[in-house]
Amino acid sequence: EIVLTQSPATLSLSPGERATLSCRASQTVNNYLAWYQQKPGQAPRLLVYGASKRATGVPARFSGSGSGTDFTLTISSLEPEDFAIYYCQQRSNWPPEITFGQGTRLEIK
Amino acid sequence: EVQLVDSGGGLVQPGGSLRLSCSASGFSFIKYGMHWVRQAPGKGLEHVSAISSNGGSTYYTDSVKGRFIISRDNSKNTLYLQMSSLRAEDTAVYYCVKDEIGDYAYYGMDVWGQGTTVTVSS
């Protein structure tokens, strides 16, 4: 099983600042990697797929990068609505062994 | 509107059974593999089960093998999860999820149900 390790566990920043979230995989994931945002009481929302492609309707301040085992989600200038928990996720084709990182909590400083 | 609506959760005693349903609309359900993802209270996301677009192939995470059965009825645009021999550790919000994967690309889990809560307790 591929393990995804996210860092930091918690990130405290102010609106307008830049956020950099990391996701490291225990094995190469071939860019089959996605990022999600989850707010309290809501289902997760897809932000980035294929490591670097923004999902429909996602603001341009969100960007994904990386390859192989090291991936990053960057939020260029934080808006108040961006404070949430972020998860990375990978899958294999079939069988669909899907794993999520443990999450990074982005909180207001 | 593309939508997944989860239902069927509730309170059940340890060892009991429950069937979750997920009704899909706004997209061609028959074309996509589907998943169940759960989230225990205050915890992260865990992939539970998957089923191919035609229902011919299924996958389960180790902790639910032999206890959960995923199925789908493409004529009704509905996904199911039959859960039996339930344990306290199965307590979670269960989400029905659509994703898409190609031969050389992964498009992510782009549609999520609102979640249905399963509580296993005596």
Side-chain angles (χ1 to χ4, degrees):
Chain A
E1 174 184 289
I2 296 176
V3 176
L4 299 179
T5 301
Q6 292 186 241
S7 61
T10 303
L11 186 57
S12 300
L13 295 170
S14 300
E17 290 193 293
R18 181 184 188 90
T20 303
L21 288 66
S22 174
C23 177
R24 175 164 289 179
S26 59
Q27 304 172 44
T28 297
V29 299
N30 292 324
N31 289 355
Y32 283 16
L33 186 114
W35 289 92
Y36 302 85
Q37 176 193 66
Q38 188 178 32
K39 296 180 179 179
Q42 296 184 16
R45 170 197 179 197
L46 176 66
L47 298 176
V48 169
Y49 64 91
S52 61
K53 300 174 179 59
R54 268 191 305 276
T56 303
V58 174
R61 64 182 180 272
F62 291 91
S63 63
S65 62
S67 63
T69 61
D70 289 300
F71 299 89
T72 300
L73 177 71
T74 301
I75 311 171
S76 59
S77 179
L78 287 165
E79 297 288 341
E81 61 267 28
D82 298 337
F83 293 92
I85 299 175
Y86 291 83
Y87 295 95
C88 58
Q89 172 247 330
Q90 67 81 33
R91 72 163 284 176
S92 56
N93 201 329
W94 197 275
E97 295 182 345
I98 292 174
T99 53
F100 293 89
Q102 81 281 15
T104 289
R105 180 183 301 273
L106 179 56
E107 63 178 27
I108 300 177
K109 188 173 183 179
Chain B
E1 180 190 4
V2 175
Q3 195 173 11
L4 295 171
V5 178
D6 305 320
S7 62
L11 174 63
V12 61
Q13 292 187 340
S17 299
L18 211 54
R19 188 177 85 156
L20 307 183
S21 299
C22 168
S23 178
S25 59
F27 66 98
S28 185
F29 182 72
I30 198 170
K31 290 176 61 177
Y32 297 97
M34 297 292 295
H35 305 262
W36 289 99
V37 173
R38 69 185 178 185
Q39 187 168 36
K43 302 298 183 181
L45 301 166
E46 180 188 23
H47 183 246
V48 173
S49 183
I51 188 166
S52 59
S53 57
N54 65 5
S57 297
T58 58
Y59 170 87
Y60 303 92
T61 195
D62 285 346
S63 62
V64 309
K65 279 180 185 173
R67 300 189 300 121
F68 290 10
I69 298 174
I70 190 172
S71 62
R72 63 191 296 163
D73 185 337
N74 285 343
S75 68
K76 295 182 178 179
N77 290 346
T78 303
L79 176 73
Y80 303 100
L81 186 67
Q82 179 68 48
M83 304 185 294
S84 59
S85 302
L86 283 162
R87 306 166 180 168
E89 54 264 37
D90 296 318
T91 294
V93 175
Y94 285 73
Y95 296 101
C96 164
V97 187
K98 164 192 171 288
D99 80 349
E100 182 179 1
I101 188 167
D103 288 341
Y104 302 104
Y106 179 49
Y107 302 96
M109 295 182 153
D110 62 338
V111 185
W112 294 66
Q114 84 286 4
T116 187
T117 300
V118 173
T119 303
V120 183
S121 175
S122 55

